[in-house]
Amino acid sequence: MKAALVIMAAGMGSRYGGSKQVDGIGPDGEILMEYSIYDAIRAGFTKVVFIIKPEMEAMMHRLCGDYLAKRTALDGTPVEVAYAFQDFSSVPDFYRIPAERTKPFGTVHALLCAADVVHEPFCVINADDYYGPEAFKVIYDYLSTHTDGEVYDYCMVSYLLKNTVSENGSVARGVCALNEDSTLHSVTERTRIETYEGGIHYTEDGGESWTDLPGETPVSMNLWGFGESFVKEADRRFARWLDENLEKNPLKCEYFLPLVVSELIGEKKAAVKVLRSTDKWYGVTYREDKPVVVEAIAKKTADGLYPENLWA
């Protein structure tokens, strides 16, 4: 079955202090997203879509896009590679975007920028996260055996909160609540989750008050599996969201994928199966996180999970 891996790589990387999406992590200088691509291709995915800033195109071709286009997928067909650009040109002209704003409008905006090149079931990931091979296997298996009916049939891979936090600062996570049948009941974006001695907590008021979260809480790491129907639903909702938010918070408002998912679940238009992976998640949110990720990838390479050079 044809399925696409959609990679959100246009992030600013401001907290990390540089372009973390293109920082060498692997033993041969591989960047973190290359491990996701490698795992996705061996799970069965046949297409890779990079969502990037326009000025990143030449660099992305050089880093991995050009040699990816020479690879074959699990079914023997050439890997299809496509590029989509996240900028304000995709926003209708009648919306007045302040000149001071440089940041795009979040993950929904990113996905809509790729609407012209995504016409098959797909999974969407962050460029600066390591998800592990099992996650791509279970999500590909689900996408290849389920199709949309009257209710959209989507999926996601969840991770335990305790395996996704950083000791070096706060993180944003989609906190999941599940139904008895392991479908998603709701997902709530918590934008400031931090560890403290003996636990994990979050704040919504700048740190004046905190609420504890159990380490076993399932969270979304933006590893979603959708049909093309999701792109169409997001497109229908984006203009309404801009109408409601651009004037109120013109410099910082962002529209996140979990918000669309929650709306569709609430309207009973979609069901989202929550899949689980036993692989540990790794991410580089802050520069101080990098040595931990480098060490983990080196061990996985030494154990034979990956070759010394992914594409040799």
Side-chain angles (χ1 to χ4, degrees), residues 134-213:
E134 186 180 4
F136 291 101
K137 183 180 186 307
V138 297
I139 203 166
Y140 178 82
D141 289 347
Y142 193 90
L143 290 173
S144 62
T145 54
H146 294 75
T147 56
D148 287 339
E150 290 186 11
V151 176
Y152 304 137
D153 195 348
Y154 303 147
C155 62
M156 63 164 285
V157 177
S158 67
Y159 291 79
L160 299 179
L161 174 64
K162 65 183 181 182
N163 291 334
T164 73
V165 291
S166 172
E167 298 297 324
N168 299 304
S170 64
V171 296
R173 298 289 180 257
V175 177
C176 302
L178 276 59
N179 299 312
E180 291 184 1
D181 63 354
S182 294
T183 57
L184 187 65
H185 178 268
S186 62
V187 57
T188 304
E189 191 77 12
R190 303 296 184 194
T191 57
R192 187 179 169 187
I193 298 175
E194 297 182 7
T195 59
Y196 69 97
E197 187 175 354
I200 305 171
H201 55 190
Y202 72 90
T203 181
E204 295 182 314
D205 55 14
E208 292 187 17
S209 62
W210 294 86
T211 303
D212 276 2
L213 279 173

Side-chain angles (χ1 to χ4, degrees), residues 7-222:
I7 304 175
M8 297 191 178
M12 304 297 283
S14 56
R15 288 177 300 175
Y16 183 61
S19 188
K20 57 186 173 178
Q21 293 90 346
V22 297
D23 205 10
I25 295 292
D28 200 52
E30 293 89 352
I31 59 178
L32 201 53
M33 78 174 78
E34 290 184 80
Y35 289 91
S36 293
I37 295 168
Y38 185 91
D39 288 334
I41 290 174
R42 64 176 169 175
F45 287 86
T46 57
K47 180 177 179 178
V48 179
V49 178
F50 296 104
I51 302 175
I52 56 178
K53 293 179 286 188
E55 60 268 26
M56 293 173 64
E57 183 179 12
M59 178 180 63
M60 198 59 63
H61 274 276
R62 183 181 70 254
L63 286 170
C64 55
D66 287 346
Y67 57 74
L68 258 183
K70 300 175 184 178
R71 303 285 297 185
T72 56
L74 197 63
D75 63 3
T77 62
V79 174
E80 184 180 350
V81 180
Y83 300 86
F85 305 121
Q86 186 178 10
D87 58 21
F88 295 133
S89 66
S90 58
V91 179
D93 290 339
F94 53 79
Y95 288 103
R96 298 184 61 184
I97 301 172
E100 305 95 308
R101 175 154 190 155
T102 58
K103 192 173 185 178
F105 291 111
T107 50
V108 172
H109 179 207
L111 183 59
L112 291 178
C113 291
D116 290 342
V117 293
V118 178
H119 305 293
E120 56 275 296
F122 66 96
C123 82
V124 59
I125 65 169
N126 297 328
D128 49 359
D129 292 346
Y130 172 86
Y131 296 96
E134 186 180 4
F136 291 101
K137 183 180 186 307
V138 297
I139 203 166
Y140 178 82
D141 289 347
Y142 193 90
L143 290 173
S144 62
T145 54
H146 294 75
T147 56
D148 287 339
E150 290 186 11
V151 176
Y152 304 137
D153 195 348
Y154 303 147
C155 62
M156 63 164 285
V157 177
S158 67
Y159 291 79
L160 299 179
L161 174 64
K162 65 183 181 182
N163 291 334
T164 73
V165 291
S166 172
E167 298 297 324
N168 299 304
S170 64
V171 296
R173 298 289 180 257
V175 177
C176 302
L178 276 59
N179 299 312
E180 291 184 1
D181 63 354
S182 294
T183 57
L184 187 65
H185 178 268
S186 62
V187 57
T188 304
E189 191 77 12
R190 303 296 184 194
T191 57
R192 187 179 169 187
I193 298 175
E194 297 182 7
T195 59
Y196 69 97
E197 187 175 354
I200 305 171
H201 55 190
Y202 72 90
T203 181
E204 295 182 314
D205 55 14
E208 292 187 17
S209 62
W210 294 86
T211 303
D212 276 2
L213 279 173
E216 305 295 316
T217 301
V219 295
S220 162
M221 301 307 300
N222 262 348

Side-chain angles (χ1 to χ4, degrees), residues 283-298:
V284 183
T285 302
Y286 300 95
R287 186 165 295 278
E288 293 81 1
D289 296 331
K290 181 182 175 181
V292 177
V293 182
V294 170
E295 182 181 356
I297 294 296

